[in-house]
Amino acid sequence: MGNQLFQEARRFVEMAKSADPADRDSVVSKAKNALSSAFANSTVAEQRQLQEMQNELEQIQ
């Protein structure tokens, strides 16, 4: 089935990347929270991917 928290983090990061500039801060904040929640419950491979997503968020801020 897959890690639900990981999938949610991925979805929020994608939303943040395409968010309207007026909404971006709010969506980025939600994405960061989702990444944080997912990290503790992920495999090492998933953690690497989550780190990449975190880097993407930092680039759009």
Side-chain angles (χ1 to χ4, degrees):
M1 178 172 165
N3 184 334
Q4 201 66 14
L5 291 171
F6 179 84
Q7 297 300 327
E8 185 174 296
R10 179 181 289 174
R11 183 173 59 88
F12 274 112
V13 170
E14 290 303 317
M15 288 172 55
K17 288 165 51 177
S18 62
D20 185 88
D23 300 327
R24 188 165 290 147
D25 286 344
S26 173
V27 180
V28 167
S29 179
K30 289 177 184 177
K32 285 183 177 184
N33 286 338
L35 285 168
S36 179
S37 295
F39 197 83
N41 298 299
S42 297
T43 65
V44 173
E46 288 172 333
Q47 288 176 352
R48 283 192 209 113
Q49 292 178 51
L50 290 166
Q51 184 61 49
E52 290 290 322
M53 289 183 230
Q54 176 69 39
N55 292 344
E56 291 175 26
L57 280 181
E58 290 173 7
Q59 291 177 5
I60 64 172
Q61 279 188 306

